[in-house]
Amino acid sequence: MEIGNPFKDIIESEEELRSLVGYPSELVKNKVITYIDHHCSSFISKSPFLVLSTADSSGFCDVSPRGDSPGFVHVLNEKYLIIPERPGNKRIDSMQNILSNPKVGLLFLIPGLGETLRVNGRAALVKDNELLEKMAVRGRKPLVGIGVEVEECFIHCAKAFKRSGLWEPHLWADQETLPSAAQILFEHAKLPNSSAKKIEANLNESYTKRLY
């Protein structure tokens, strides 16, 4: 069955877009800095979670989470930081994209804080043993680090978090109503001799035994 495009009225120029949303304030226009100052460094040191945005050479985009104990991202100096690449599912989407297009965007979060820190720059895949050893956990160092040369840093306001109530536990859905990752994987992958129960057991094992 052919699925039609439901979007009929499309904005096609910045002029048209600006006529709808307007222009940023002087504060917003001037908040961007091109290096990691002590405020940004402090924010990163307290952040246990970030999302990493990449795109391949054709522009196909990907966004991926990274998380660990606060301070897992190391600020090396005012222009460079490095993110440890912990064990995952081996799709390596982000790293493959970086090989063909080094431009990346990072969004750092601190639980309970509505404001986020946005960092844009150029990434490289680092295998420098001296740097990787410093990011070891439980005696296991990452095989690769994602090094980022910072081009922009700025604070993003808390409106999205306030609208969503993300940090408000009383607004969270009941656990029994949440989607089942195992069931979704089972129905999407359609592997023979598999079941949602087997996938769930494998996920739980990876979460408890293969984090590092």
Side-chain angles (χ1 to χ4, degrees):
M1 182 180 67
E2 185 177 346
I3 300 176
N5 186 339
F7 307 125
K8 305 301 182 185
D9 196 2
I10 304 295
I11 295 171
E12 297 183 345
S13 70
E14 182 179 349
E15 182 181 12
E16 183 181 4
L17 178 59
R18 287 295 183 189
S19 71
L20 292 172
V21 302
Y23 291 84
S25 67
E26 289 301 309
L27 175 63
V28 172
K29 286 192 292 185
N30 288 286
K31 69 179 179 178
V32 180
I33 61 175
T34 60
Y35 59 96
I36 306 169
D37 72 348
H38 67 285
H39 294 296
C40 296
S41 182
S42 176
F43 196 110
I44 292 169
S45 74
K46 295 174 174 60
S47 172
F49 186 85
L50 65 90
V51 289
L52 167 65
S53 175
T54 61
D56 66 17
S57 57
S58 68
F60 189 84
C61 297
D62 181 75
V63 63
S64 178
R66 297 292 189 277
D68 212 323
S69 299
F72 77 103
V73 174
H74 287 212
V75 174
L76 305 178
N77 54 47
E78 289 187 342
K79 289 298 290 184
Y80 290 89
L81 59 80
I82 187 168
I83 307 163
E85 184 68 15
R86 305 298 186 195
N89 59 17
K90 299 182 173 65
R91 279 185 55 100
I92 62 170
D93 297 298
S94 300
M95 291 190 288
Q96 286 187 118
N97 286 346
I98 288 168
L99 288 173
S100 62
N101 177 2
K103 289 290 191 177
V104 298
L106 311 176
L107 180 71
F108 288 93
L109 286 76
I110 298 176
L113 181 65
E115 288 78 15
T116 53
L117 178 69
R118 291 170 59 177
V119 176
N120 298 318
R122 297 175 61 86
L125 304 183
V126 178
K127 56 179 183 178
D128 184 318
N129 193 60
E130 184 178 351
L131 289 176
L132 297 178
E133 284 285 1
K134 294 176 181 178
M135 298 185 288
V137 175
R138 301 176 190 172
R140 298 180 181 177
K141 68 179 179 66
L143 298 176
V144 181
I146 297 175
V148 178
E149 179 183 2
V150 173
E151 296 176 338
E152 290 186 326
C153 290
F154 56 96
I155 289 292
H156 192 100
C157 79
K159 288 181 180 177
F161 286 80
K162 291 186 176 298
R163 286 190 288 253
S164 66
L166 187 66
W167 303 132
E168 304 295 334
H170 69 281
L171 297 177
W172 296 352
D174 294 333
Q175 284 288 321
E176 58 269 19
T177 69
L178 297 178
S180 164
Q183 187 65 38
I184 294 169
L185 286 168
F186 171 64
E187 295 190 20
H188 285 186
K190 297 180 172 62
L191 297 179
N193 303 315
S194 183
S195 68
K197 191 171 183 180
K198 288 181 180 178
I199 292 174
E200 183 172 14
N202 186 58
L203 287 174
N204 288 336
E205 181 188 27
S206 73
Y207 296 156
T208 56
K209 298 180 180 180
R210 298 198 296 274
L211 285 180
Y212 300 98

Coordinates of all heavy atoms in Angstrom, one line a residue, residues 43-116:
F43 N 29.8 22.2 34.1 CA 28.6 21.5 33.7 C 28.9 20.1 33.2 O 28.2 19.1 33.6 CB 27.9 22.4 32.5 CG 26.5 22.0 32.3 CD1 25.5 22.9 32.6 CD2 26.1 20.8 31.7 CE1 24.2 22.6 32.3 CE2 24.8 20.5 31.4 CZ 23.8 21.4 31.7
I44 N 29.9 20.0 32.3 CA 30.2 18.7 31.8 C 30.7 17.7 32.9 O 30.3 16.5 32.8 CB 31.3 18.8 30.7 CG1 30.8 19.6 29.5 CG2 31.9 17.5 30.3 CD1 31.8 20.0 28.5
S45 N 31.4 18.2 33.9 CA 31.8 17.4 35.0 C 30.7 16.8 35.8 O 30.9 15.8 36.5 CB 32.8 18.1 35.9 OG 32.1 19.1 36.7
K46 N 29.6 17.5 35.8 CA 28.4 17.0 36.6 C 27.4 16.3 35.8 O 26.4 15.8 36.3 CB 27.7 18.3 37.2 CG 28.6 19.0 38.3 CD 27.9 20.2 38.8 CE 28.8 20.9 39.9 NZ 30.1 21.2 39.5
S47 N 27.6 16.1 34.5 CA 26.7 15.5 33.6 C 27.0 14.0 33.4 O 28.1 13.6 33.0 CB 26.7 16.1 32.2 OG 25.9 15.4 31.3
P48 N 25.9 13.1 33.7 CA 26.1 11.7 33.5 C 25.6 11.2 32.2 O 25.6 10.0 31.9 CB 25.3 11.1 34.7 CG 24.1 12.0 34.8 CD 24.7 13.4 34.4
F49 N 25.1 12.1 31.4 CA 24.3 11.7 30.2 C 24.4 12.8 29.1 O 24.3 14.0 29.4 CB 22.9 11.4 30.5 CG 22.1 10.9 29.4 CD1 22.0 9.5 29.1 CD2 21.3 11.7 28.5 CE1 21.3 8.9 28.1 CE2 20.6 11.1 27.5 CZ 20.6 9.8 27.3
L50 N 24.6 12.3 27.8 CA 24.6 13.2 26.7 C 24.0 12.5 25.5 O 23.9 11.3 25.5 CB 26.0 13.7 26.4 CG 27.0 12.7 25.8 CD1 27.0 12.6 24.3 CD2 28.4 13.1 26.3
V51 N 23.5 13.3 24.6 CA 23.1 12.7 23.3 C 24.1 13.3 22.2 O 24.5 14.4 22.3 CB 21.7 13.0 22.9 CG1 20.7 12.2 23.8 CG2 21.4 14.5 23.0
L52 N 24.5 12.4 21.3 CA 25.4 12.7 20.3 C 24.8 12.6 18.9 O 24.2 11.6 18.5 CB 26.6 11.6 20.3 CG 27.6 11.6 19.2 CD1 28.4 12.9 19.1 CD2 28.5 10.3 19.3
S53 N 24.8 13.7 18.2 CA 24.2 13.8 16.9 C 25.3 13.8 15.8 O 26.3 14.5 15.9 CB 23.4 15.1 16.7 OG 23.0 15.3 15.4
T54 N 25.2 12.9 14.8 CA 26.1 12.8 13.7 C 25.3 12.7 12.4 O 24.1 12.4 12.4 CB 27.0 11.5 13.9 OG1 26.2 10.4 13.9 CG2 27.8 11.6 15.2
A55 N 26.1 12.8 11.3 CA 25.5 12.6 10.0 C 26.6 12.0 9.1 O 27.7 12.3 9.2 CB 24.9 13.9 9.4
D56 N 26.2 11.2 8.1 CA 27.2 10.7 7.2 C 27.4 11.7 6.1 O 26.9 12.8 6.1 CB 26.8 9.3 6.6 CG 25.5 9.3 5.8 OD1 25.1 10.4 5.3 OD2 24.9 8.2 5.6
S57 N 28.2 11.3 5.1 CA 28.6 12.2 4.1 C 27.5 12.6 3.2 O 27.5 13.7 2.5 CB 29.7 11.6 3.2 OG 29.3 10.4 2.6
S58 N 26.4 11.8 3.1 CA 25.2 12.2 2.3 C 24.2 13.0 3.1 O 23.2 13.4 2.6 CB 24.6 10.9 1.8 OG 24.0 10.2 2.8
G59 N 24.4 13.2 4.4 CA 23.5 14.0 5.2 C 22.5 13.1 6.0 O 21.7 13.7 6.8
F60 N 22.6 11.8 5.9 CA 21.7 10.9 6.7 C 22.1 11.0 8.2 O 23.2 10.7 8.5 CB 21.8 9.5 6.2 CG 20.8 8.5 6.8 CD1 19.5 8.5 6.2 CD2 21.1 7.8 7.9 CE1 18.6 7.6 6.8 CE2 20.1 6.9 8.4 CZ 18.9 6.8 7.9
C61 N 21.1 11.4 9.0 CA 21.4 11.7 10.4 C 21.2 10.6 11.4 O 20.4 9.6 11.1 CB 20.6 12.9 10.8 SG 20.9 14.4 9.9
D62 N 21.9 10.7 12.5 CA 21.7 9.7 13.6 C 21.9 10.5 14.9 O 22.6 11.4 15.0 CB 22.8 8.6 13.5 CG 22.6 7.6 14.6 OD1 21.7 6.7 14.5 OD2 23.4 7.6 15.5
V63 N 21.2 10.0 15.9 CA 21.4 10.6 17.3 C 21.5 9.4 18.2 O 20.7 8.4 18.1 CB 20.3 11.6 17.7 CG1 18.9 10.9 17.7 CG2 20.6 12.3 19.0
S64 N 22.4 9.5 19.2 CA 22.7 8.3 20.0 C 23.0 8.8 21.4 O 23.7 9.8 21.6 CB 23.9 7.5 19.4 OG 24.2 6.4 20.2
P65 N 22.5 8.0 22.4 CA 22.8 8.4 23.8 C 24.2 7.9 24.3 O 24.7 6.8 23.8 CB 21.7 7.7 24.6 CG 21.4 6.5 23.8 CD 21.6 6.9 22.3
R66 N 24.8 8.6 25.2 CA 26.0 8.2 25.9 C 25.8 8.5 27.4 O 25.4 9.6 27.7 CB 27.2 8.9 25.4 CG 27.6 8.7 23.9 CD 28.1 7.2 23.7 NE 28.6 7.0 22.3 CZ 27.8 6.8 21.3 NH1 26.5 6.8 21.4 NH2 28.4 6.6 20.1
G67 N 26.2 7.6 28.3 CA 26.0 7.8 29.7 C 26.9 7.0 30.5 O 27.4 5.9 30.2
D68 N 27.3 7.6 31.7 CA 28.1 6.9 32.7 C 28.1 7.8 33.9 O 27.3 8.7 34.0 CB 29.5 6.8 32.1 CG 30.2 5.5 32.7 OD1 30.0 5.2 33.9 OD2 31.0 4.9 31.9
S69 N 29.0 7.6 34.8 CA 29.0 8.4 36.0 C 29.4 9.8 35.7 O 30.1 10.1 34.7 CB 30.1 7.8 37.0 OG 29.8 6.5 37.4
P70 N 28.9 10.8 36.5 CA 29.2 12.2 36.2 C 30.7 12.4 36.0 O 31.5 11.9 36.8 CB 28.7 13.0 37.4 CG 27.6 12.1 37.9 CD 28.0 10.7 37.6
G71 N 31.1 13.1 35.0 CA 32.5 13.3 34.7 C 33.1 12.3 33.8 O 34.3 12.3 33.5
F72 N 32.3 11.4 33.2 CA 32.8 10.4 32.3 C 33.4 11.0 31.0 O 34.2 10.5 30.4 CB 31.8 9.4 32.0 CG 30.7 9.8 31.0 CD1 30.7 9.3 29.7 CD2 29.6 10.6 31.4 CE1 29.8 9.7 28.8 CE2 28.6 10.9 30.5 CZ 28.7 10.5 29.2
V73 N 32.9 12.2 30.6 CA 33.5 13.0 29.5 C 34.6 13.8 30.1 O 34.4 14.6 31.0 CB 32.4 13.9 28.8 CG1 33.0 14.7 27.8 CG2 31.3 13.0 28.2
H74 N 35.8 13.6 29.5 CA 37.0 14.3 30.0 C 37.2 15.6 29.2 O 37.3 15.5 28.0 CB 38.2 13.4 29.9 CG 38.2 12.4 31.0 ND1 39.4 11.9 31.5 CD2 37.2 11.7 31.6 CE1 39.1 10.9 32.4 NE2 37.8 10.8 32.4
V75 N 37.3 16.7 29.9 CA 37.7 18.0 29.2 C 39.2 18.1 29.3 O 39.8 18.1 30.4 CB 37.0 19.2 30.0 CG1 37.6 20.5 29.4 CG2 35.5 19.1 29.8
L76 N 39.8 18.1 28.1 CA 41.3 18.1 28.1 C 41.9 19.5 28.1 O 42.9 19.7 28.7 CB 41.7 17.4 26.8 CG 41.2 15.9 26.6 CD1 41.7 15.4 25.3 CD2 41.6 15.0 27.8
N77 N 41.2 20.4 27.5 CA 41.6 21.8 27.6 C 40.4 22.7 27.1 O 39.3 22.1 26.9 CB 42.9 22.1 26.8 CG 42.8 21.6 25.4 OD1 41.9 21.9 24.7 ND2 43.9 20.9 24.9
E78 N 40.7 23.9 26.8 CA 39.6 24.8 26.4 C 39.0 24.5 25.0 O 37.9 24.9 24.7 CB 40.1 26.3 26.4 CG 40.3 26.8 27.7 CD 40.6 28.3 27.7 OE1 41.0 28.8 26.6 OE2 40.5 29.0 28.7
K79 N 39.7 23.7 24.2 CA 39.2 23.4 22.9 C 38.8 21.9 22.6 O 38.2 21.6 21.6 CB 40.2 23.8 21.8 CG 40.3 25.3 21.7 CD 39.1 26.0 21.2 CE 38.7 25.7 19.8 NZ 37.5 26.4 19.3
Y80 N 39.3 21.0 23.5 CA 39.1 19.6 23.3 C 38.5 18.8 24.5 O 38.9 19.1 25.6 CB 40.4 19.0 22.9 CG 41.0 19.4 21.6 CD1 41.8 20.5 21.5 CD2 40.7 18.7 20.4 CE1 42.3 21.0 20.2 CE2 41.1 19.1 19.2 CZ 41.9 20.2 19.1 OH 42.4 20.6 17.9
L81 N 37.6 17.9 24.1 CA 37.1 17.0 25.1 C 37.1 15.6 24.5 O 37.2 15.4 23.3 CB 35.7 17.4 25.6 CG 34.5 17.5 24.5 CD1 33.9 16.2 24.2 CD2 33.5 18.4 25.1
I82 N 36.9 14.5 25.3 CA 36.9 13.2 24.8 C 35.8 12.4 25.5 O 35.7 12.5 26.7 CB 38.3 12.5 24.9 CG1 38.2 11.1 24.2 CG2 38.7 12.4 26.3 CD1 39.6 10.5 24.0
I83 N 35.1 11.6 24.7 CA 34.0 10.7 25.2 C 34.4 9.3 25.1 O 34.7 8.8 24.0 CB 32.7 11.0 24.4 CG1 32.3 12.4 24.3 CG2 31.5 10.2 25.0 CD1 31.4 12.8 23.2
P84 N 34.4 8.5 26.2 CA 34.7 7.1 26.1 C 33.6 6.3 25.4 O 32.4 6.6 25.6 CB 34.8 6.7 27.6 CG 33.9 7.6 28.3 CD 34.0 8.9 27.6
E85 N 34.0 5.4 24.5 CA 33.0 4.6 23.8 C 32.9 3.3 24.5 O 33.8 2.4 24.4 CB 33.5 4.4 22.3 CG 32.5 3.6 21.5 CD 31.2 4.4 21.2 OE1 31.2 5.6 21.5 OE2 30.2 3.8 20.8
R86 N 31.9 3.1 25.3 CA 31.7 1.9 26.1 C 31.1 0.8 25.3 O 30.6 1.1 24.2 CB 30.7 2.2 27.3 CG 31.2 3.3 28.2 CD 32.5 3.1 28.9 NE 32.8 4.1 29.9 CZ 34.0 4.3 30.4 NH1 35.0 3.6 30.1 NH2 34.2 5.3 31.3
P87 N 31.1 -0.5 25.7 CA 30.6 -1.6 24.9 C 29.1 -1.3 24.6 O 28.3 -0.9 25.4 CB 30.8 -2.8 25.8 CG 31.9 -2.4 26.7 CD 31.8 -0.9 27.0
G88 N 28.7 -1.6 23.3 CA 27.4 -1.5 22.9 C 27.0 -2.6 22.0 O 27.4 -3.7 22.2
N89 N 26.1 -2.3 21.0 CA 25.6 -3.4 20.2 C 26.4 -3.6 18.9 O 26.0 -4.3 18.0 CB 24.1 -3.1 19.8 CG 23.9 -1.8 19.1 OD1 24.9 -1.2 18.6 ND2 22.7 -1.3 19.1
K90 N 27.5 -2.9 18.8 CA 28.4 -3.0 17.7 C 27.9 -2.5 16.3 O 28.4 -2.7 15.3 CB 28.9 -4.4 17.5 CG 29.7 -4.9 18.7 CD 30.2 -6.4 18.5 CE 31.1 -6.8 19.6 NZ 30.4 -6.9 20.9
R91 N 26.8 -1.7 16.4 CA 26.3 -1.1 15.1 C 27.3 0.1 14.7 O 27.4 0.4 13.5 CB 24.9 -0.5 15.3 CG 23.8 -1.6 15.2 CD 22.4 -0.9 15.3 NE 22.3 0.2 14.3 CZ 21.7 0.1 13.1 NH1 21.1 -1.1 12.8 NH2 21.6 1.1 12.3
I92 N 27.9 0.7 15.7 CA 28.8 1.8 15.5 C 28.4 2.9 14.5 O 29.1 3.4 13.8 CB 30.3 1.3 15.1 CG1 30.3 0.6 13.8 CG2 30.8 0.4 16.2 CD1 31.7 0.3 13.3
D93 N 27.1 3.2 14.5 CA 26.5 4.2 13.6 C 27.2 5.5 13.8 O 27.6 6.1 12.8 CB 25.0 4.4 13.9 CG 24.2 3.1 13.6 OD1 24.2 2.7 12.5 OD2 23.6 2.6 14.6
S94 N 27.4 6.0 15.0 CA 28.0 7.3 15.2 C 29.4 7.3 14.7 O 29.8 8.3 14.1 CB 27.9 7.7 16.7 OG 26.6 7.7 17.2
M95 N 30.2 6.3 15.1 CA 31.6 6.3 14.7 C 31.8 6.1 13.2 O 32.7 6.8 12.6 CB 32.3 5.2 15.4 CG 32.4 5.5 16.9 SD 33.5 4.4 17.8 CE 32.5 2.9 17.8
Q96 N 30.9 5.4 12.5 CA 31.0 5.3 11.1 C 30.7 6.6 10.4 O 31.4 7.0 9.5 CB 30.0 4.2 10.6 CG 30.4 2.8 10.8 CD 29.5 1.8 10.1 OE1 29.9 1.1 9.3 NE2 28.2 1.8 10.5
N97 N 29.7 7.3 11.0 CA 29.4 8.7 10.5 C 30.6 9.6 10.6 O 30.9 10.4 9.7 CB 28.2 9.3 11.2 CG 26.9 8.6 10.7 OD1 26.8 7.9 9.7 ND2 25.8 8.8 11.5
I98 N 31.2 9.6 11.8 CA 32.4 10.5 12.1 C 33.5 10.2 11.0 O 34.2 11.2 10.6 CB 32.8 10.3 13.5 CG1 31.8 10.9 14.5 CG2 34.2 10.9 13.7 CD1 32.0 10.5 15.9
L99 N 33.7 9.0 10.6 CA 34.7 8.7 9.7 C 34.5 9.4 8.3 O 35.4 9.8 7.6 CB 34.8 7.2 9.4 CG 35.4 6.4 10.6 CD1 35.3 4.9 10.3 CD2 36.9 6.8 10.8
S100 N 33.2 9.6 8.0 CA 32.9 10.2 6.7 C 32.5 11.7 6.8 O 32.6 12.5 5.8 CB 31.8 9.5 6.0 OG 30.6 9.5 6.7
N101 N 32.1 12.1 8.0 CA 31.7 13.5 8.3 C 32.0 13.8 9.7 O 31.2 13.4 10.6 CB 30.2 13.6 7.9 CG 29.7 15.0 8.2 OD1 30.4 15.9 8.6 ND2 28.4 15.2 8.0
P102 N 33.0 14.6 10.0 CA 33.4 14.8 11.4 C 32.5 15.8 12.2 O 32.7 15.9 13.4 CB 34.8 15.4 11.3 CG 34.8 16.1 10.0 CD 33.9 15.2 9.1
K103 N 31.6 16.4 11.6 CA 30.7 17.4 12.3 C 29.8 16.7 13.3 O 29.1 15.7 12.9 CB 29.9 18.2 11.3 CG 30.7 19.2 10.5 CD 31.2 20.3 11.4 CE 31.8 21.5 10.5 NZ 32.2 22.6 11.4
V104 N 29.8 17.1 14.5 CA 28.9 16.5 15.6 C 28.3 17.6 16.4 O 28.7 18.7 16.5 CB 29.8 15.6 16.5 CG1 30.4 14.4 15.7 CG2 30.8 16.3 17.3
G105 N 27.2 17.2 17.0 CA 26.5 18.0 18.0 C 26.3 17.2 19.3 O 25.9 16.0 19.3
L106 N 26.6 17.8 20.5 CA 26.4 17.2 21.8 C 25.4 17.9 22.6 O 25.4 19.2 22.5 CB 27.7 17.1 22.5 CG 29.0 16.6 21.8 CD1 30.2 16.7 22.7 CD2 28.8 15.2 21.3
L107 N 24.6 17.2 23.3 CA 23.6 17.8 24.3 C 23.9 17.2 25.6 O 23.6 16.0 25.8 CB 22.2 17.6 23.8 CG 21.1 18.3 24.7 CD1 21.1 19.8 24.6 CD2 19.7 17.7 24.3
F108 N 24.4 18.0 26.6 CA 24.7 17.4 27.9 C 23.5 17.7 28.9 O 23.0 18.8 28.9 CB 25.9 18.1 28.5 CG 27.2 17.7 27.9 CD1 27.7 18.4 26.8 CD2 27.9 16.6 28.3 CE1 28.9 18.0 26.2 CE2 29.1 16.2 27.7 CZ 29.6 16.9 26.7
L109 N 23.1 16.7 29.6 CA 22.0 16.8 30.6 C 22.5 16.5 32.0 O 23.4 15.7 32.2 CB 20.9 15.8 30.3 CG 20.0 16.1 29.1 CD1 20.7 15.8 27.8 CD2 18.7 15.2 29.2
I110 N 22.0 17.2 33.0 CA 22.2 17.0 34.4 C 20.8 16.7 35.0 O 19.9 17.5 34.9 CB 22.8 18.1 35.1 CG1 24.2 18.4 34.5 CG2 22.9 17.9 36.6 CD1 24.9 19.7 35.1
P111 N 20.6 15.5 35.6 CA 19.3 15.2 36.1 C 18.8 16.3 37.1 O 19.5 16.7 38.0 CB 19.5 13.8 36.9 CG 20.6 13.2 36.1 CD 21.5 14.4 35.7
G112 N 17.5 16.7 36.9 CA 16.9 17.7 37.8 C 17.1 19.1 37.4 O 16.5 20.0 37.9
L113 N 18.1 19.3 36.4 CA 18.3 20.6 35.9 C 17.7 20.8 34.5 O 17.9 20.0 33.6 CB 19.8 20.9 35.7 CG 20.3 22.3 35.2 CD1 19.9 23.4 36.2 CD2 21.8 22.3 35.0
G114 N 16.9 21.8 34.4 CA 16.2 22.0 33.1 C 17.0 22.5 32.0 O 16.8 22.1 30.8
E115 N 18.0 23.4 32.3 CA 18.9 23.8 31.2 C 19.9 22.7 30.8 O 20.3 21.9 31.6 CB 19.7 25.1 31.7 CG 18.9 26.3 31.8 CD 18.0 26.4 33.1 OE1 18.3 25.6 34.0 OE2 17.1 27.2 33.2
T116 N 20.2 22.8 29.5 CA 21.2 21.8 29.0 C 22.3 22.6 28.4 O 22.2 23.8 28.1 CB 20.5 20.9 27.9 OG1 19.9 21.7 26.9 CG2 19.5 20.0 28.5

